[in-house]
Amino acid sequence: MNTEGSGTLQNPENSPEHQAVIAFLADPATHDGQQVQRVDTHISHIFLTDTEAFKLKRPIRTNFLDFSTLNRREAACRREIEVNQTVAAQIYRDVLPIVRRERRLQLGGQGDPVDWVVRMRRFDRAGEFDRLAERGELGVQLAEALADTVAKMHLGAPVAPEFGGAARVKATIEQISEAIETSPAAADLKDPLTDWRSRAQSELDKRTAQLNARRRHGYVRRCHGDLHLGNICLIDGRPTPFDALEFNEEMASTDVIYDIAFIVMDMLERGLRDQANAFLCRYLSATRDYSGLGLLPLFISMRAAVRALVAASRKEPDPHEPGAGERLAFAIRALRDQAKPRLIAIGGLSGSGKSTIARRAAPQIGRGIGAVVLRSDVARKHMFGVSPEDRLPEDAYGPGTTELVYTRLLRDAGRVLRQGFPAVVDATFLSPFEREQVRLAARRAGVPFCPIWMDCGPKTLRARISARTGDASDADVGVLEKQLALRAEAGDWTRVPADGSVEDTAALALAAIRSGSD
């Protein structure tokens, strides 16, 4: 009987029909004798062969999804293919019916469908980002490559103004709170939950106008919706988000900062602060969405609270995962331990280590995720519409263009500071005018200013530039010689010896940053 639109589940999980489909997909004979591994999630059964994966939607209905009928499951399968095509077309292949012919089930072909599956290319699960993180193989460069992928995905995502805004954030906070209150671990979480809810609501009150303005201005988009490290993998050496949320448009259509907050939270919770900072800075340099930064602590906290809810809902704790109390404590810290705005300028000749030290220092500046790095070389590349590692022609480095680069850097730094974050501006600052402009930017923002000059000898500078590969800077030894001829003076900027090791130089720079601001 067709129950489309009724209150009855069609072929519920314990029905003979559904169990027969599971047995059919788990049978090696269905897959030309290949062995089959079954993986169960809360909404799907996944059957893995040597080369392919088949995802079967579980016939369930919850407060956020409805797979209760055959038609709904088919529609969800087709929507999953659609929403994952943008960045994961290499994985998602097609939708196949499971049909009954002559009283036997068959995968694909003609016949009466009894269910539907999403067919995917099987990939090496060792390349999933959560597993890379567990093995200590998720480095800063990979985090930046991921940021490039996500930024491109968000910039091309459809705007969804019918969703998002402060009302949706408020509803999500309430839903998380109510679900934890009714979970098996509710009694142990009463006090921290009360604390979290109060802090989250207070932060929301401060951000209500901002959330609604961003909704009006196109920052609520049809995003991935479930962008944690376990839903990102390496395909052909490239970070590839997969398993985008297909079953609830409201949950998937959100502020882009809420989408990236899952990645940032996941990295921070795992102790990958350098990677989280590098991901965020690279993403922001591509999107220039610095005005959304102020929402990040609230959104990180909400993502962590969702993780706390998942842990609290388990009948038995997972010994391999943090508990609900630990995750709720993380959610509270995300709101409580926020950095204070200040402007740090790191200048010096090409090859003096400005960018390396900025990257090393930024995660250690203040609390939370640290400082946001704005690099002149990266800003220039984005102005010309190329990736940071692509080379630009010599005429892209004329005085007029350089002035535009510095104007852009300081404007973006001002946005970072107004959102309550520290900013690190990484540029040569060879002229007194450039150095004075960055000082004035701090004064206009009403924040402390800390100017650092990387002091390095010509021999070391030449050696470093000669050894460069794959860097955003296009400066060669010829450019350096012109800089040396200028005999730029640092004035009253704090000089940091930069001829030594990266570790020693970073320690000296951090000490200067922590002690020197006017």
Side-chain angles (χ1 to χ4, degrees):
M1 179 177 66
N2 189 334
T3 59
E4 186 73 45
S6 77
T8 305
L9 290 178
Q10 185 182 37
N11 294 341
E13 288 198 89
N14 58 357
S15 70
E17 293 86 350
H18 185 65
Q19 293 303 314
V21 170
I22 290 176
F24 168 74
L25 289 171
D27 187 351
T30 304
H31 310 281
D32 297 325
Q34 296 181 69
Q35 292 300 307
V36 182
Q37 178 186 355
R38 173 178 161 184
V39 177
D40 295 328
T41 73
H42 61 298
I43 62 173
S44 301
H45 303 295
I46 304 168
F47 303 86
L48 304 172
T49 71
D50 293 341
T51 59
E52 294 183 314
F54 299 86
K55 182 185 288 188
L56 175 71
K57 309 293 183 186
R58 295 170 61 178
I60 58 175
R61 182 189 296 114
T62 74
N63 62 349
F64 59 86
L65 65 81
D66 189 351
F67 295 160
S68 61
T69 69
L70 180 62
N71 288 349
R72 289 185 183 278
R73 293 195 292 279
E74 179 190 1
C77 287
R78 297 195 184 284
R79 182 60 173 156
E80 181 168 356
I81 292 286
E82 183 181 2
V83 299
N84 283 283
Q85 280 297 308
T86 304
V87 292
Q90 314 98 305
I91 298 176
Y92 287 82
R93 292 185 170 171
D94 53 16
V95 175
L96 293 176
I98 299 170
V99 301
R100 182 175 280 111
R101 295 186 65 187
E102 299 177 356
R103 299 183 180 181
R104 299 183 62 181
L105 295 180
Q106 176 180 307
L107 188 59
Q110 300 298 314
D112 296 327
V114 298
D115 224 316
W116 297 84
V117 292
V118 175
R119 180 167 63 168
M120 298 177 286
R121 164 189 170 185
R122 183 171 182 181
F123 54 82
D124 185 359
R125 295 197 67 191
E128 292 175 358
F129 272 48
D130 57 342
R131 299 189 178 203
L132 293 172
E134 289 166 5
R135 299 196 303 270
E137 298 174 9
L138 178 49
V140 164
Q141 286 188 330
L142 198 51
E144 291 183 334
L146 173 59
D148 290 342
T149 296
V150 176
K152 183 178 180 181
M153 179 176 71
H154 282 171
L155 290 170
V159 175
E162 67 272 30
F163 298 111
R168 179 58 190 163
V169 174
K170 180 179 179 63
T172 302
I173 292 170
E174 291 174 351
Q175 289 166 359
I176 294 169
S177 300
E178 290 168 4
I180 293 177
E181 284 177 334
T182 58
S183 72
D188 296 330
L189 300 175
K190 183 178 179 180
D191 289 343
L193 178 60
T194 298
D195 187 8
W196 177 76
R197 178 189 281 172
S198 174
R199 290 177 185 273
Q201 184 59 55
S202 176
E203 187 69 15
L204 172 59
D205 291 343
K206 291 190 296 184
R207 301 291 175 182
T208 293
Q210 182 182 13
L211 283 161
N212 292 332
R214 285 175 63 81
R215 177 185 182 182
R216 292 192 302 271
H217 296 150
Y219 290 99
V220 173
R221 295 178 175 247
R222 207 303 174 181
C223 295
H224 183 284
D226 197 21
L227 199 55
H228 57 80
L229 296 183
N231 279 345
I232 304 162
C233 63
L234 282 176
I235 300 292
D236 301 328
R238 303 180 67 177
T240 305
F242 66 96
D243 205 17
L245 195 151
E246 86 285 357
F247 52 79
N248 188 306
E249 290 303 300
E250 185 172 29
M251 291 176 64
S253 301
T254 183
D255 194 298
V256 291
I257 299 296
Y258 190 53
D259 213 36
I260 67 164
F262 214 160
I263 292 176
V264 175
M265 183 278 295
D266 212 347
M267 289 180 174
L268 289 176
E269 189 185 52
R270 296 170 185 271
L272 303 177
R273 197 178 184 196
D274 289 353
Q275 291 86 335
N277 183 274
F279 168 84
L280 178 65
C281 294
R282 181 84 169 203
Y283 174 87
L284 293 173
S285 72
T287 65
R288 293 189 77 194
D289 189 10
Y290 297 103
S291 297
L293 265 172
L295 298 171
L296 192 59
L298 174 60
F299 286 163
I300 289 174
S301 180
M302 290 170 63
R303 291 296 193 183
V306 171
R307 283 274 177 90
L309 166 59
V310 172
S313 301
R314 293 192 181 103
K315 294 180 180 179
E316 297 292 336
D318 185 340
H320 305 293
E321 296 284 344
E326 187 176 346
R327 282 185 153 149
L328 202 52
F330 179 93
I332 292 169
R333 288 196 301 274
L335 292 169
R336 184 190 64 203
D337 298 343
Q338 298 184 33
K340 294 181 180 180
R342 58 189 307 204
L343 182 57
I344 298 106
I346 299 183
L349 304 187
S350 296
S352 59
K354 300 182 302 297
S355 299
T356 299
I357 299 308
R359 176 186 284 179
R360 287 288 189 99
Q364 309 303 320
I365 296 172
R367 298 177 176 180
I369 199 168
V372 175
V373 177
L374 302 106
R375 184 180 177 187
S376 62
D377 293 315
V378 173
R380 190 185 302 265
K381 299 298 178 66
H382 285 305
M383 282 177 58
F384 282 87
V386 301
S387 68
E389 287 71 35
D390 290 343
R391 290 191 67 84
L392 290 173
E394 188 175 347
D395 59 11
Y397 288 86
T401 302
T402 296
E403 183 178 348
L404 290 175
V405 170
Y406 276 82
T407 298
R408 174 180 171 133
L409 278 179
L410 297 184
R411 182 182 296 123
D412 289 343
R415 291 170 177 158
V416 172
L417 297 169
R418 286 193 294 274
Q419 292 299 311
F421 277 72
V424 176
V425 180
D426 159 20
T428 54
F429 292 109
L430 294 180
S431 76
F433 177 77
E434 291 164 354
R435 294 195 292 275
E436 182 59 23
Q437 288 303 299
V438 71
R439 186 185 298 276
L440 288 174
R443 190 172 301 165
R444 285 193 297 268
V447 301
F449 177 59
C450 180
I452 301 293
W453 186 266
M454 307 299 293
D455 212 357
C456 195
K459 182 178 179 181
T460 301
L461 295 173
R462 294 185 183 103
R464 287 177 179 171
I465 288 178
S466 298
R468 271 180 179 167
T469 58
D471 189 79
S473 173
D474 292 337
D476 56 19
V477 174
V479 170
L480 172 63
E481 297 301 338
K482 293 178 182 178
Q483 293 177 357
L484 289 168
L486 293 174
R487 300 184 180 275
E489 292 292 334
D492 61 349
W493 285 34
T494 301
R495 292 177 176 271
V496 171
D499 285 286
S501 68
V502 170
E503 291 74 17
D504 289 346
T505 304
L508 291 169
L510 267 172
I513 290 169
R514 287 167 177 162
S515 63
S517 59
D518 60 17

